[in-house]
Amino acid sequence: AQSVTQLDSQVPVFEEAPVELRCNYSSSVSVYLFWYVQYPNQGLQLLLKYLSGSTLVKGINGFEAEFNKSQTSFHLRKPSVHISDTAEYFCAVSEDTGNQFYFGTGTSLTVIP
Amino acid sequence: DSGVTQTPKHLITATGQRVTLRCSPRSGDLSVYWYQQSLDQGLQFLIQYYNGEERAKGNILERFSAQQFPDLHSELNLSSLELGDSALYFCASSVGSGTYTDTQYFGPGTRLTVL
């Protein structure tokens, strides 16, 4: 089974500053990678996903992530955050052998005015 | 609004009891997934149904069961409840059978508190 690590449980950042949320996964077999966002009192919403092709993936709300196979990482970035980006962010991994998603424990991003 | 609905929003019950959580997928979606989100274990995949049939199983306890009905809504049954079952239970749905290419749309969740 996969293990997904989000090292930073909380990330405070000032408005308009850049941010990087880190995600590492355990297995080097073929994987598919996802970032989800959870706003307060809501369900998860897909931000972006990597299935194949270019290792730089662009998602909604100005977020992007880079797949690094050698480092088994899929870090999420945004060059300039807004107050509205305050939320919980989850990294998830799926293998092509099954339908199961493995989620990280989440990173709480707080944007400070 | 993802189009996935879950009822009830909140549920408070006692240990040893049994509860049923309900999920209605987005119109046209054939797959339903159940997840449990707790503080100590994070977000865990429980089970998936596709067009009425069980498709994939994750970390679902034997005390828990689910089914998907002909109208594609799904129910998650939790029995012999323990304090540790207190969590947020999410339902998600997708169009297809749940390969990695299938985007899952999440409902708002049901918060279960076991006292």
Side-chain angles (χ1 to χ4, degrees):
Chain A
Q2 281 281 346
S3 171
V4 182
T5 303
Q6 292 181 247
L7 285 172
D8 307 305
S9 59
Q10 295 186 359
V11 173
V13 62
F14 286 104
E15 193 174 14
E16 297 184 5
V19 70
E20 178 180 80
L21 306 183
R22 297 180 292 169
C23 173
N24 288 86
Y25 59 95
S26 60
S27 174
S28 59
V29 299
S30 294
V31 293
Y32 307 96
L33 300 153
F34 306 79
W35 275 99
Y36 281 85
V37 60
Q38 184 179 25
Y39 297 105
N41 301 313
Q42 292 187 30
L44 278 70
Q45 180 183 355
L46 181 67
L47 269 181
L48 49 79
K49 59 185 176 184
Y50 170 79
L51 303 181
S52 65
S54 172
T55 56
L56 184 63
V57 181
K58 293 191 184 297
I60 62 172
N61 301 341
F63 283 94
E64 64 181 31
E66 185 153 21
F67 169 54
N68 188 319
K69 188 173 182 178
S70 62
Q71 297 188 4
T72 60
S73 69
F74 190 55
H75 300 332
L76 181 72
R77 302 187 188 101
K78 186 169 182 178
S80 175
V81 295
H82 302 127
I83 296 291
S84 59
D85 293 323
T86 294
E88 190 88 14
Y89 292 80
F90 292 91
C91 179
V93 175
S94 178
E95 298 170 342
D96 61 359
T97 52
N99 301 332
Q100 189 163 165
F101 276 62
Y102 301 88
F103 282 85
T105 50
T107 296
S108 177
L109 174 65
T110 301
V111 180
I112 304 162
Chain B
D1 184 359
S2 66
V4 178
T5 59
Q6 291 186 247
T7 56
K9 283 189 177 179
H10 303 277
L11 199 47
I12 301 175
T13 189
T15 54
Q17 295 298 305
R18 172 190 169 94
V19 297
T20 298
L21 313 183
R22 182 188 169 103
C23 169
S24 293
R26 293 187 323 152
S27 177
D29 284 1
L30 298 179
S31 276
V32 170
Y33 310 77
W34 286 98
Y35 292 87
Q36 179 193 58
Q37 185 179 33
S38 61
L39 285 175
D40 56 343
Q41 300 216 24
L43 191 62
Q44 290 197 90
F45 167 71
L46 296 178
I47 197 165
Q48 178 208 353
Y49 278 82
Y50 173 69
N51 206 19
E53 301 285 330
E54 183 183 303
R55 182 80 176 179
K57 215 166 187 176
N59 298 323
I60 189 166
L61 300 172
E62 284 192 14
R63 299 183 286 110
F64 297 180
S65 64
Q67 55 184 327
Q68 186 179 30
F69 294 86
D71 67 352
L72 300 176
H73 90 272
S74 177
E75 292 181 356
L76 179 67
N77 299 298
L78 315 176
S79 62
S80 303
L81 285 167
E82 302 175 358
L83 295 177
D85 297 328
S86 294
L88 196 51
Y89 291 84
F90 286 108
C91 165
S93 73
S94 69
V95 171
S97 59
T99 65
Y100 54 86
T101 57
D102 228 2
T103 296
Q104 295 183 28
Y105 295 88
F106 282 74
T110 293
R111 183 168 295 282
L112 173 66
T113 303
V114 182
L115 301 175

